[in-house]
Amino acid sequence: MFLVRVSPRTREVSNERFMTSKSGAWGWIFAGLTAASQLAAYCLEHQAMFAQVFLIPELFIAFTYGSAMWLITTMNIGLVAISIAQARPPTTVTVMNAIAQSGGSILFSAMIGGAIDQIVQVSNHNQHLVTQLLDQQGQIRALSHDEGIMAERQRVAGEVHDTLAQSLASMLALGRTAREEAQSGELENLDAHLSMITMMAQEGLDDVRQLVAAGMPTSLR
């Protein structure tokens, strides 16, 4: 026994293929009115058969290819039946002419319907490609945004390392030196070291203010 796995996409295409009316009940109403008017007009004048040229594209728009062909074939069988019923008496020529006309109409319908169905498939495919393109553009914008954030973070980190981190390291070293001087009683350089710590703290504060004023993104604050 062979098992065939059907993908969700295949099931979706199959459901669309066997779906009858594309517009629900309105499609069936349109089909009923089309068939009734065509048959009634044919009863009065056989030349009305050529009105199918205008009705056939509408049926393929309202229904899937298979369903539209079934409706057109059924309608043409009705036209043949009317031709035979109206013939007095029905002759072989009359029947063959009616069958030939209906067969030609069905063949013409198949060609027109195939072209319309192909156009619809190409349109759906193009719409799918457009949707994919829009999704890819959205992903590209998201990646560009993330890359911009990373670049800005690296820039800020570099500026912090070059300015604030070095100032803090110097302040830490001077603070340890000042503490050792205070503990040992060597006070001649203590005031100078404390002044340098105060100056570096002020410079670090100014650097931070300049960094914020330079336009640091909200997402990085």
Side-chain angles (χ1 to χ4, degrees):
M1 178 181 295
F2 296 94
L3 297 179
V4 180
R5 299 185 63 181
V6 180
S7 64
R9 176 60 186 167
T10 303
R11 287 195 296 268
E12 181 181 350
V13 173
S14 298
N15 292 335
E16 292 177 354
R17 187 65 179 174
F18 289 101
M19 182 181 63
T20 53
S21 174
K22 297 178 183 177
S23 54
W26 288 109
W28 287 110
I29 293 173
F30 170 73
L33 293 175
T34 298
S37 60
Q38 179 66 56
L39 294 175
Y42 188 75
C43 289
L44 300 176
E45 176 57 54
H46 286 190
Q47 295 299 323
M49 180 180 185
F50 296 103
Q52 292 186 75
V53 175
F54 305 100
L55 300 175
I56 287 170
E58 301 296 333
L59 288 174
F60 281 106
I61 292 174
F63 292 86
T64 56
Y65 181 84
S67 301
M69 284 302 302
W70 179 81
L71 290 170
I72 292 169
T73 301
T74 302
M75 185 169 59
N76 277 277
I77 290 174
L79 297 179
V80 172
I82 292 173
S83 295
I84 295 173
Q86 288 182 341
R88 294 292 186 271
T91 62
T92 303
V93 175
T94 303
V95 174
M96 294 303 295
N97 287 337
I99 293 175
Q101 290 179 355
S102 296
S105 176
I106 293 172
L107 180 61
F108 174 77
S109 301
M111 293 188 296
I112 293 296
I116 294 176
D117 196 51
Q118 185 67 26
I119 292 173
V120 171
Q121 290 181 5
V122 172
S123 177
N124 292 336
H125 179 67
N126 291 339
Q127 182 62 37
H128 180 67
L129 293 179
V130 170
T131 302
Q132 285 185 335
L133 179 61
L134 293 176
D135 292 340
Q136 291 175 357
Q137 289 179 347
Q139 294 176 0
I140 292 173
R141 285 194 295 268
L143 291 175
S144 299
H145 178 69
D146 293 340
E147 290 178 358
I149 291 178
M150 291 300 299
E152 187 65 18
R153 286 178 177 175
Q154 292 177 358
R155 182 189 69 81
V156 173
E159 292 185 3
V160 169
H161 178 270
D162 294 340
T163 57
L164 187 58
Q166 292 182 3
S167 297
L168 290 175
S170 299
M171 290 169 57
L172 179 61
L174 288 173
R176 289 174 178 174
T177 301
R179 180 180 179 184
E180 292 175 357
E181 290 175 346
Q183 290 177 348
S184 63
E186 299 178 0
L187 305 179
E188 60 274 11
N189 295 323
L190 180 61
D191 184 67
H193 290 160
L194 292 176
S195 297
M196 293 176 65
I197 292 174
T198 301
M199 180 185 66
M200 289 182 178
Q202 183 62 49
E203 291 178 353
L205 180 60
D206 294 339
D207 291 336
V208 171
R209 288 174 177 173
Q210 291 178 1
L211 184 62
V212 174
M216 183 177 179
T218 306
S219 58
L220 302 180
R221 295 177 185 177

